């Protein structure tokens, strides 16, 4: 049973009473010493929980954003299913290290995977993976390669978990038509009178509806299989170990049915960008092709055994779609008055949208080259023959 160190509470004052009460609900080992905000997520509140004893693990505590994830029980059920499945698969793989490679949920004393407090907030606790690190931006080609391996392996290990076992935690999450409808609604409402300042961005978004709907159309025509995908494959959702080897994929809230191209594209969005997601100076945004190749190599090493030719061909469509879709979502939130994403200043969402749209333009210019690179890596360097 967790104890709270009075020394830590009074001396540093860092443990907020509410968090202390929440932590006491979980079956954690050791004495909580320090609780600090952690990470750079835009949705939940995340805290690092350090215990005082050397032989007790540390933890990650999260307050789940229930405005974004309205059915917290469904989110947690998905995470339980997925982590259990990944663990079972890793046990059966030579060299698999389930305790290090999969997130471990700490149950409450009531054996629940989350705790709902008196103020409608839901909390969950994970084991902290010591010695690992996530990066907002890629620094080396090896990191890009490892990111590709991590997300590829994640998809591969989940190919034998039936898709219908998972619930859709956010409906139409990467559905571009639905995202257009939300954008249009925000534009018509224009609650903050911001539409007049974003005429160029509105035009950019409107001019791309058909080309950005290709994956959705292929899916509707039955040409792309629905698989279990991660749906938030930013580079910082792969934890790397001290040798920069991929260790664990995190942030499993949106693991649900989807198309592999969505994961590929969302990962490329953060991996090849030489600047940050919200870069103000658009001239700093470039596409690093070496990182693209390395990510793709890692990804295809893990996935060519199951990807269809149709899926392979769709990957490049995901590469332009995902930064576009994120740009559209940021722009929509800006028009809406910044209700969804955490922002640090007034025009933050607009700055994010502009940076993503710039990235789209750069990726569009390189689309043919990127496609050829994907095909070349898939066939020649691996000698693999994708299934039809
Ligand atoms: C959000 O969890 P976090 O902050 O990494 C968002 C993703 C976006 C991302 C943009 C549930 O992810 O879809 O790609 O911000 N998650 C949700 O950085 O909306
Ligand atoms: Mg997320």
């Amino acid at each position: 049973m967790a104890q709270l160190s009075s020394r830590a509470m009074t001396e540093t004052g860092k443990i907020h009473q509410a968090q202390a009460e929440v932590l006491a609900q979980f079956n954690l080992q050791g004495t909580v010493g320090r609780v600090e905000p952690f990470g750079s997520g835009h949705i939940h509140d995340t805290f690092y929980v350090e215990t005082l004893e050397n032989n007790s693990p540390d933890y990650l505590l999260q307050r789940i954003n229930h405005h974004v994830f309205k059915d917290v029980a469904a989110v947690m059920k998905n995470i339980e299913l997925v982590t259990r499945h990944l663990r079972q698969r890793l046990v059966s793989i030579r060299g698999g290290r389930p305790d290090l490679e999969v997130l471990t949920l700490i149950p409450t004393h009531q054996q629940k995977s989350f705790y709902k407090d008196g103020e409608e907030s839901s909390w969950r606790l994970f084991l902290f993976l010591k010695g690992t690190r996530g990066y907002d931006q890629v620094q080396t080609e090896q990191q890009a390669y490892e990111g590709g391996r991590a997300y590829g392996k994640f998809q591969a290990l989940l190919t034998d978990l039936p898709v219908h076992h998972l619930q859709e935690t956010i409906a139409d999450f990467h559905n571009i038509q639905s995202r257009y409808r939300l954008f249009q609604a925000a534009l018509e409402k224009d609650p903050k009178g911001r539409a007049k300042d974003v005429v160029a961005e509105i035009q950019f978004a409107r001019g791309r509806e058909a080309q950005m709907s290709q994956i959705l159309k292929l899916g509707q025509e039955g040409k792309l299989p629905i698989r279990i995908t991660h749906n938030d494959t930013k580079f910082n959702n792969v934890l790397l170990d001290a040798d920069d080897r991929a260790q664990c994929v995190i942030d499993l809230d949106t693991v649900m049915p989807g198309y592999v191209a969505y994961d590929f594209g969302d990962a490329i969005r953060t991996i090849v960008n030489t600047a940050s997601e919200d870069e103000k100076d658009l001239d700093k945004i470039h596409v690093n092709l070496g990182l693209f190749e390395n990510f793709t190599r890692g990804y295809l090493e893990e996935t060519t055994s199951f990807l269809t030719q149709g899926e392979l061909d769709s990957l490049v469509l995901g590469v332009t779609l995902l930064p576009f879709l994120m740009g559209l979502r940021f722009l929509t939130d800006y028009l809406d008055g910044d209700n969804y994403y955490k922002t640090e200043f007034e025009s933050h969402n607009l700055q994010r949208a502009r940076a993503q749209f710039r990235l789209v333009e750069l990726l569009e210019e390189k689309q043919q080259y990127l496609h050829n690179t994907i095909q070349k890596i898939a066939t020649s360097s691996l000698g693999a023959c994708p299934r039809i």
Side-chain angles (χ1 to χ4, degrees):
M1 156 74 127
Q3 295 167 22
L4 296 164
S5 137
S6 55
R7 178 169 59 82
M9 280 189 77
T10 52
E11 281 178 15
T12 71
K14 280 204 172 134
I15 299 185
H16 192 273
Q17 186 59 29
Q19 288 163 4
E21 279 169 27
V22 166
L23 284 167
Q25 308 299 321
F26 288 90
N27 199 5
L28 60 79
Q29 280 175 38
T31 314
V32 173
R34 192 162 57 101
V35 181
E36 283 186 348
F38 187 86
S40 56
H42 300 339
I43 308 289
H44 306 305
D45 298 322
T46 305
F47 305 90
Y48 171 62
V49 179
E50 189 183 52
T51 57
L52 296 177
E53 297 81 359
N54 283 338
N55 56 358
S56 297
D58 294 337
Y59 299 91
L60 270 192
L61 175 69
Q62 280 190 313
R63 179 176 25 211
I64 304 170
N65 183 330
H66 61 269
H67 302 291
V68 168
F69 292 98
K70 300 203 163 58
D71 188 348
V72 173
V75 171
M76 298 311 293
K77 186 96 197 51
N78 277 3
I79 296 180
E80 285 180 65
L81 275 172
V82 166
T83 53
R84 189 182 316 139
H85 185 84
L86 291 173
R87 199 163 274 121
Q88 279 166 0
R89 289 293 315 273
L90 285 164
V91 168
S92 66
I93 291 178
R94 199 158 50 91
R97 302 165 304 163
D99 292 344
L100 301 180
E101 294 181 53
V102 186
L103 282 177
T104 304
L105 272 171
I106 305 298
T108 66
H109 296 300
Q110 267 76 45
Q111 296 305 313
K112 294 259 165 41
S113 58
F114 65 100
Y115 166 70
K116 193 164 175 181
D117 68 18
E119 282 160 20
E120 297 299 299
S121 287
S122 293
W123 300 79
R124 65 185 171 203
L125 192 69
F126 291 107
L127 265 190
F128 183 77
L129 290 164
K130 260 207 171 82
T132 59
R133 220 187 127 177
Y135 297 81
D136 289 342
Q137 275 173 260
V138 173
Q139 292 163 351
T140 66
E141 294 196 338
Q142 186 196 331
Q143 291 179 347
Y145 169 74
E146 290 291 325
R149 279 195 50 234
Y151 285 130
K153 186 171 171 185
F154 185 84
Q155 288 181 346
L157 292 176
L158 291 171
T159 49
D160 60 343
L161 177 62
V163 172
H164 66 272
H165 286 191
L166 294 191
Q167 301 189 48
E168 210 179 354
T169 52
I170 300 182
D172 297 324
F173 191 53
H174 287 331
N175 180 323
I176 189 67
Q177 288 299 330
S178 152
R179 293 292 175 189
Y180 263 115
R181 283 192 288 276
L182 295 171
F183 165 67
Q184 193 56 36
L187 200 54
E188 276 159 28
K189 212 165 161 209
D190 194 18
K192 299 276 171 184
R194 289 173 169 177
K196 62 180 183 331
D197 306 324
V198 293
V199 173
E201 288 75 14
I202 293 170
Q203 240 183 347
F204 185 94
R206 284 198 167 142
R208 282 165 171 77
E209 187 158 352
Q211 79 190 65
M212 293 299 174
S213 299
Q214 291 179 83
I215 294 180
L216 196 63
K217 194 158 163 276
L218 288 167
Q220 284 162 350
E221 290 167 354
K223 294 180 180 155
L224 294 176
I226 295 176
R227 300 193 189 273
I228 296 175
T229 48
H230 182 282
N231 297 304
D232 191 3
T233 49
K234 299 207 278 199
F235 183 60
N236 63 13
N237 279 335
V238 176
L239 296 183
L240 303 177
D241 68 16
D243 300 322
D244 260 358
R245 303 275 313 208
Q247 184 175 316
C248 182
V249 170
I250 59 168
D251 195 352
L252 307 179
D253 300 323
T254 49
V255 178
M256 55 182 163
Y259 300 120
V260 291
Y262 291 158
D263 278 2
F264 185 82
D266 205 12
I268 291 299
R269 178 177 80 82
T270 55
I271 283 168
V272 304
N273 187 353
T274 55
S276 58
E277 182 183 59
D278 59 352
E279 179 57 57
K280 187 177 165 57
D281 180 356
L282 301 186
D283 290 338
K284 288 194 180 146
I285 300 174
H286 301 284
V287 172
N288 183 324
L289 294 174
L291 298 180
F292 178 83
E293 265 177 50
N294 276 277
F295 176 85
T296 303
R297 198 160 50 83
Y299 176 78
L300 291 177
E301 276 178 22
E302 299 289 339
T303 56
T304 38
S305 60
F306 70 85
L307 291 184
T308 66
Q309 185 63 48
E311 286 180 297
L312 206 52
D313 293 341
S314 73
L315 296 180
V316 77
L317 300 175
V319 170
T320 43
L321 172 63
L322 268 291
F324 177 76
L325 193 141
M326 292 310 158
L328 189 66
R329 290 177 60 193
F330 289 137
L331 184 60
T332 304
D333 199 31
Y334 179 70
L335 290 167
D336 263 340
D338 310 312
N339 297 318
Y340 188 92
Y341 293 106
K342 290 182 185 173
T343 50
E344 283 157 29
F345 49 91
E346 173 144 352
S347 57
H348 201 170
N349 271 318
L350 177 58
Q351 190 169 303
R352 287 170 175 150
R354 287 185 171 145
Q356 292 300 298
F357 284 171
R358 177 75 191 126
L359 185 62
V360 171
E361 284 176 330
L362 295 171
L363 289 163
E364 281 174 348
E365 285 166 15
K366 297 183 170 54
Q367 198 160 22
Q368 189 58 48
Y369 176 84
L370 301 178
H371 179 70
N372 295 345
T373 306
I374 295 169
Q375 300 296 328
K376 193 179 73 195
I377 294 173
T379 52
S380 67
S381 76
L382 295 176
C385 187
R387 288 197 222 119
I388 308 297

